[in-house]
Amino acid sequence: MASTKANPARIVLFGPPGAGKGTQATLLSKALNVCHISTGDIMRQAVANQTELGKQIKAILDRGELVPDSMVIKMVEERLSDPDCADGFVLDGFPRTVDQAKALSALIAKLGGPNLMVIELIVPDERILERIRRRSAEAGNSARSDDSEDVARNRIMVYWAQTAPVSDYYRARKELKDIDGVGKVEDVNARLIALVKGRPVA
Ligand code: AMP
């Protein structure tokens, strides 16, 4: 869908599981008044609704592995064409492989207009495990069946093997910016908004 804004915000929030992408993407998309696309949320919804797609991917999600690229890319392409995404988007949890990143670059080129701004939330490994453990304790494992300790470790391994190379892809294209993801939610959010709006980052 063609944009009505001269300079739509096209943002990817990137980082390991437990880095706070979901929370920050929700806040940032509201602040910028653009759509929030969380591939994890879309997939959990499909599983909860027991759609055909949901039935195919449930076991993959439960193991903390990645859903095949072709399925995820199609899902994002469809969501990006929704009217609420015409003036920009914040993507959270996508791309997670270099092939997904390449597909997204092709989609953006097709749409025309500004390039992506990819922001990596930098959070040390030990903090991530701590956060995922806290999340699974709080959720009592009911909200996310993929938050048990073993699955959390698996998700981090999958991240290092398949997703971390995505940051090199964007670094080479000069589309990547880093941000310190440690700190209070509101402080990280303020840093993000300053970065996106081009102000000096505190
Ligand atoms: P998230 O909520 O982003 O951590 O995603 C939860 C789960 O959904 C992941 O562990 C994967 O199984 C699946 N998933 C989400 N996004 C993607 C993606 N871009 N590519 C493949 N699998 C994904």
Side-chain angles (χ1 to χ4, degrees):
M1 152 145 308
S3 170
T4 56
K5 272 191 195 163
N7 201 18
R10 293 173 171 168
I11 295 166
V12 171
L13 267 195
F14 185 77
K21 293 189 297 292
T23 306
Q24 292 301 335
T26 302
L27 292 172
L28 186 62
S29 59
K30 283 197 180 127
L32 300 174
N33 201 17
V34 297
C35 79
H36 171 199
I37 307 177
S38 158
T39 45
D41 282 352
I42 297 174
M43 292 190 209
R44 276 185 291 278
Q45 195 66 51
V47 171
N49 292 344
Q50 300 186 356
T51 63
E52 220 24 70
L53 173 82
K55 285 180 204 158
Q56 285 173 38
I57 64 178
K58 183 179 185 313
I60 301 176
L61 260 71
D62 283 348
R63 289 194 300 267
E65 289 167 8
L66 295 186
V67 170
D69 285 342
S70 57
M71 283 184 178
V72 194
I73 291 165
K74 188 160 164 266
M75 195 183 283
V76 170
E77 187 168 8
E78 280 172 14
R79 183 68 184 95
L80 276 177
S81 66
D82 286 342
D84 65 319
C85 295
D87 288 337
F89 54 80
V90 177
L91 266 169
D92 142 28
F94 180 93
R96 259 177 158 98
T97 65
V98 173
D99 281 347
Q100 290 179 17
K102 287 181 180 166
L104 180 61
S105 296
L107 274 175
I108 298 298
K110 213 161 74 183
L111 286 176
N115 280 347
L116 287 173
M117 183 181 200
V118 183
I119 305 175
E120 179 163 359
L121 287 173
I122 307 289
V123 179
D125 265 2
E126 58 277 13
R127 293 258 180 167
I128 287 161
L129 259 181
E130 193 185 295
R131 281 190 192 180
I132 296 183
R133 276 193 194 119
R134 203 180 329 128
R135 186 157 79 187
S136 77
E138 280 163 7
N141 282 342
S142 60
R144 291 188 56 143
S145 58
D146 62 350
D147 260 348
S148 74
E149 175 87 23
D150 284 351
V151 177
R153 282 185 191 283
N154 196 25
R155 277 157 54 81
I156 291 174
M157 269 162 50
V158 167
Y159 174 79
W160 284 113
Q162 297 183 66
T163 304
V166 172
S167 108
D168 298 330
Y169 171 83
Y170 285 123
R171 205 179 298 279
R173 292 170 61 98
K174 305 208 182 329
E175 290 175 342
L176 186 77
K177 295 186 190 302
D178 290 344
I179 205 166
D180 180 5
V182 179
K184 287 193 199 138
V185 166
E186 54 272 29
D187 293 342
V188 177
N189 180 239
R191 270 178 234 147
L192 261 176
I193 290 178
L195 178 68
V196 169
K197 297 201 165 164
R199 295 198 299 264
V201 180

